[in-house]
């Protein structure tokens, strides 16, 4: 049986930090499913289709990666993929409380699901999708932080949408 892991998230947008976690996961698992959430309440900067498309382009050279989307409970999606493993990246102590809450809640929802945390390369430990959006929105370059497909999309998005909303 191949070992499959689900790496869920908003990926709004995907950064090199996310790609680092995907590559580390591939060292451990036979297949990694990157699962992009369709947020019912939050309005992301990028549509679900845009987030999925950018991840597909960014991971096109990686074998054994599938980019998918989901809605509803994560534990149900994980089960539907015939696995019980969730991967999450942990950057700093500040991530810990939220992540612990999710692990324990997911465990209450389905006791057979396990979450594995991977730490990204330390120079990605301060990187977040929100900061990248702020940088590009404020006129900066994000090429050190996101793959080219994402940087182009950010510049395109902000050149047509200078709405000034905050992330
Ligand atoms: O990248 P993010 O925004 O930190 O990812 C959060 C995500 C998508 C993993 C989380 O919001 C999630 O699992 N949502 C699905 C709904 C769900 O199952 N909620 C209960 C988990 S505590």
């Amino acid at each position: 049986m191949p070992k499959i892991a689900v790496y869920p998230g908003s990926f709004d947008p995907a950064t090199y930090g996310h790609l680092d976690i995907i590559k580390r996961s591939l060292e451990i698992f036979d297949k990694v499913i990157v699962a992009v959430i369709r947020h019912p309440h939050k309005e992301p900067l990028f549509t679900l289709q845009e987030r999925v498309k950018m991840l597909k382009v960014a991971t096109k050279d990686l074998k054994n990666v599938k980019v998918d989307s989901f809605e509803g409970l994560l534990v149900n999606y994980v089960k539907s993929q015939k696995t019980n493993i969730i991967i999450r990246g942990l950057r700093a102590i500040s991530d810990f409380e939220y992540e612990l809450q999710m692990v324990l809640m997911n465990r209450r929802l389905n006791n057979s699901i396990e979450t594995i945390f991977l730490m990204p390369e330390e120079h990605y430990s301060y990187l977040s999708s929100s900061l990248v959006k702020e940088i590009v929105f404020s006129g900066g370059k994000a090429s050190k932080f996101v793959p080219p497909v994402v940087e182009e999309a950010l510049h395109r998005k902000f050149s047509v949408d200078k709405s000034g909303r905050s992330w």
Side-chain angles (χ1 to χ4, degrees):
M1 280 283 276
K3 284 186 292 170
I4 300 171
V6 171
Y7 178 34
S10 301
F11 304 104
D12 185 38
T15 68
Y16 280 141
H18 294 124
L19 291 179
D20 182 277
I21 297 295
I22 294 170
K23 286 176 194 160
R24 283 170 201 281
S25 307
L26 288 169
E27 299 287 326
I28 307 170
F29 295 94
D30 300 314
K31 180 175 170 188
V32 174
I33 302 171
V34 183
V36 183
I37 188 165
R38 175 195 294 278
H39 276 298
H41 319 298
K42 267 207 274 188
E43 201 203 321
L45 176 65
F46 291 101
T47 65
L48 180 66
Q49 289 72 19
E50 288 171 328
R51 288 177 282 143
V52 166
K53 176 92 190 292
M54 287 188 282
L55 268 163
K56 281 187 175 165
V57 173
T59 58
K60 70 177 189 325
D61 295 331
L62 297 176
K63 268 198 195 143
N64 305 322
V65 173
K66 174 177 135 185
V67 181
D68 195 12
S69 61
F70 77 104
E71 52 190 330
L73 283 180
L74 175 60
V75 290
N76 292 347
Y77 173 77
V78 171
K79 241 175 68 186
S80 76
Q81 299 303 302
K82 309 269 179 283
T83 181
N84 65 335
I85 304 292
I86 297 171
I87 297 281
R88 291 285 288 172
L90 199 59
R91 291 166 301 188
I93 293 285
S94 50
D95 284 341
F96 183 76
E97 211 168 304
Y98 169 59
E99 295 297 336
L100 179 68
Q101 222 178 351
M102 282 207 293
V103 170
L104 297 180
M105 187 53 84
N106 282 334
R107 193 172 284 166
R108 284 302 286 271
L109 295 169
N110 184 332
N111 197 26
S112 69
I113 304 280
E114 288 297 343
T115 304
I116 294 180
F117 289 96
L118 296 174
M119 280 72 177
E121 194 71 55
E122 71 184 78
H123 56 264
Y124 296 137
S125 60
Y126 54 86
L127 179 55
S128 71
S129 300
S130 308
L131 278 184
V132 168
K133 284 182 274 196
E134 196 174 309
I135 289 167
V136 178
F137 184 74
S138 309
K141 282 191 171 174
S143 50
K144 286 194 193 123
F145 312 124
V146 295
V149 63
V150 173
E151 179 160 39
E152 283 158 27
L154 280 166
H155 284 292
R156 255 199 326 273
K157 190 70 93 177
F158 288 132
S159 66
V160 293
D161 174 25
K162 273 267 177 187
S163 60
R165 61 180 146 161
S166 57
W167 300 283

